[in-house]
Amino acid sequence: MNKNYIKKIPYWVRITGLAISAIIFSFFFLNLIFPLHVKNDYSNIVIASDSTVIHAYLSIDEKWRMKTELSEITPLLRKAIIFKEDKYFYYHPGVNAFAIIRAIFNNSVQAKRTSGASTISMQVSRLLKPKARTYLNKLIEIFRAFQLELQYSKDEILQMYLNIAPYGGNIEGVKAASLLYFEKAPNHLSLAELTALSVIPNRPNSLTIGKDNDTIIKIRNKWLKRFEKEDLFSKQDIKDALNEPLTAQRHSVPKMAPHFSLRIKNRHIEKANIYTHLDLKKQLKIEQLVKNYIGRLYNRNIKNASVLIIDNSKNKVITYVGSADFHNVEDAGQVDGIKAIRSPGSTLKPFLYALAFDKGIITPTLKITDVPVNYSGYEPHNYDSEYHGLVSVINALTNSLNVVAVKILYQYKSHKFINELKKLRFKQIQKDEKKLGLSVILGGCGVTLEELTGLYHAFANKGIYTEFNWLKNDSLNSGFNIISEASAYMLTDILTQVTRPDLPLEWQNSADLPRVAWKTGTSYGRKDAWSIGYNKNYTIGVWVGNFSSEGVQELSGAETAAPLLFEIFNTIDYKSDTEWYDIPKNLEYRLVCSETGQIPNSFCTNLTSDAYIPNVSSNKKCEHLRKIQLAADSSISYCTSCLPESGYINAFYPNYRPEMISYFETNQLKYSKVPSHNPECERIFAEDKPEITSPVNNVEYFIDRADTTQILLTCNAANNVDTVYWYINDKFYKSAEAIQKVFFKPGEGMLKISCTDDKGRNTNIHIKVKMINF
């Protein structure tokens, strides 16, 4: 029955069906053998948060070929292009058979090419792989058009056409054309502008916008009238388009935010359109502000600055200024100062203090001695070369005291601090880890402005460190805690204080001083000036200096970088201090002794409030006074061994540490000294033995044989010590006052040095002396 049925089908139908089947089979067979590979190398374009193109780069083949996104193809553009190029685009399978038949007939009758039959799909296949116009190549073009239709949607094919259509010279695609000729995105083109652009791909070598505008207007208007005839657009829109002049000409591509754009392009070279969070208005404002600021400092030989601004709400990079002037070759303006490795000065100190808060080592009002110290030969000095005795943690940080910072780091342990910085991906610190020590807290390491700004951004984010969001499609990462919220609050409270030496002179009485937490830093040799600050809205990092690493005497974080920081805050966030940080739940306040910042003892009379973290901060009781038994006339003091049964009095004396006594004596400062101990007492004391401060224990000293160099002997002794006795290799050398400097000429080899005070307490150290010929 099936055979009979087939026989009833007309012969020509069967032949036609077989032919169509053979064509379909051949197509799919050839599709397997010659698959379609569509790959366009687009220009990289960097786009600001408001969708403005801020920078563009040539494609690999040196074309301005910018990718038009589907969202940028407006209904206006779609209707105009489809009407002009391929009315039945959405109805045919890639090839319009009727158009081909019509073209063959017309061209045969006229004996020349009078009309074309290329659909948009066929034009795309030809533009993807341009070849000479032959019948064979036309067949290949048709085959490729079918392949396109098989693999891509109509909108995607239209998008391809708009991306690779030629617009003269090295300009391809409607996006590149609209940007270079009209300085706007394609979705902002008027009807007249997009119609003018639509006529160029048919004659890209003979029609040039800016040169042939009159001719282009005539062709444009012809097509506008056709649009009107077909009721494609409203009569008013057509009328306005016909009357719109064409003054366009070729412009340069945008080249804004050069350091940022180059960095983003290199990081995302695979992306055609790179959508960023950069706030173009703020970027341009800050670029000009930085340029003007350095212009005022230029005569002082300060020639560059860098600024990085982070929006704290979503960790977005919104402003990125790598140098004062990218185009200033003489001063290395193309160097990106945000990525440059520099010495941080004192800018790492807040992180150490915050970590120490969390370890219970310090609280804001705890008092620490700011006096000369020696750690295995390392003797830190304050910026002003002065020492300030007993200071609170608040004063130590706001005054950026180096000695106190090194003391805290010594207690916290430098290797632990370095590990914390490594967790935050401080790259140079990761490389130099084994070379770093206590000096890291004073700038003895390499960091970048980006790394420091990221660190302070964590302070602003209640102690949570997060990676920056550079692109719009970056996911918000939750980050991780580097310090507690309580520690971050205490740190912010200290860094917000304005009674401090790094407040610039011109801002000290200003009503426009922004409410920000900030810290400055100056590197050794005055080569780098830093100021990093934050409020709830923004974190801003500022570096000022010279890329040549030339030091300048007038360069400092306080007077050079901080003024720029405050100007920037007032530019982008003026008077925004209404919202501030709330006291976290895990932070409490308590009364402490104002003399030490510790829990009050029975003898503490002056109290002050101090923030602390319950179950973390130290609960040590104050010991700033100690009870001493004296003779009735206060001439001598007694210990428990020689205390008489009667005839004595009790008195309280300051319980100074030995280094404080040495500080008082060296600076000839008055202090309450305990009367000499009962000379008739035979007790030998064990506690409070002298501390030898020079020479340094277990250190090798090299001495010139021809020199008369001597080694210094010094110590810190207790409050009730008058005389100390020095011994070299167990042989008595000299007696001296406790604070007196003693010198001796050493012999070669291992030496044992001993110091005994007048209470019989003894300390020993060992050094090695080697004689050499310099």
Coordinates of all heavy atoms in Angstrom, one line a residue, residues 112 136 322-323 387 474 509 641:
K112 N 24.2 44.0 -16.0 CA 25.2 44.5 -15.0 C 24.5 44.4 -13.6 O 23.3 44.2 -13.5 CB 25.5 46.0 -15.2 CG 24.4 47.0 -15.2 CD 24.9 48.4 -15.4 CE 23.7 49.4 -15.3 NZ 24.2 50.8 -15.5
L136 N 31.6 31.0 -6.8 CA 31.9 30.0 -5.8 C 31.9 30.6 -4.4 O 31.4 30.0 -3.5 CB 33.3 29.4 -6.1 CG 33.9 28.4 -5.1 CD1 32.9 27.2 -5.0 CD2 35.3 27.9 -5.5
G322 N 46.9 57.4 39.4 CA 48.3 56.8 39.5 C 49.4 57.8 39.6 O 50.4 57.5 40.3
S323 N 49.2 59.0 39.1 CA 50.2 60.0 39.2 C 49.6 61.4 39.0 O 48.4 61.5 38.6 CB 51.3 59.8 38.1 OG 50.8 60.0 36.8
Y387 N 62.4 61.7 73.9 CA 61.7 60.7 74.6 C 60.8 61.3 75.5 O 61.0 62.5 76.0 CB 62.7 59.7 75.3 CG 63.6 59.0 74.4 CD1 64.9 59.5 74.2 CD2 63.2 57.8 73.8 CE1 65.8 58.8 73.3 CE2 64.1 57.2 72.9 CZ 65.4 57.7 72.7 OH 66.2 57.0 71.9
D474 N 31.7 41.7 39.5 CA 32.4 41.1 40.6 C 31.4 40.8 41.7 O 30.5 41.6 42.0 CB 33.4 42.1 41.2 CG 34.7 42.1 40.3 OD1 34.8 41.2 39.4 OD2 35.6 42.9 40.5
N509 N 42.6 75.1 62.7 CA 41.4 75.9 63.2 C 40.4 76.0 62.1 O 39.6 77.0 62.1 CB 42.0 77.3 63.5 CG 42.9 77.3 64.7 OD1 42.6 76.7 65.7 ND2 44.1 77.9 64.5
S641 N 63.8 41.8 106.3 CA 64.8 41.2 107.1 C 65.4 42.1 108.2 O 65.8 41.6 109.3 CB 66.0 40.7 106.2 OG 65.5 39.8 105.3

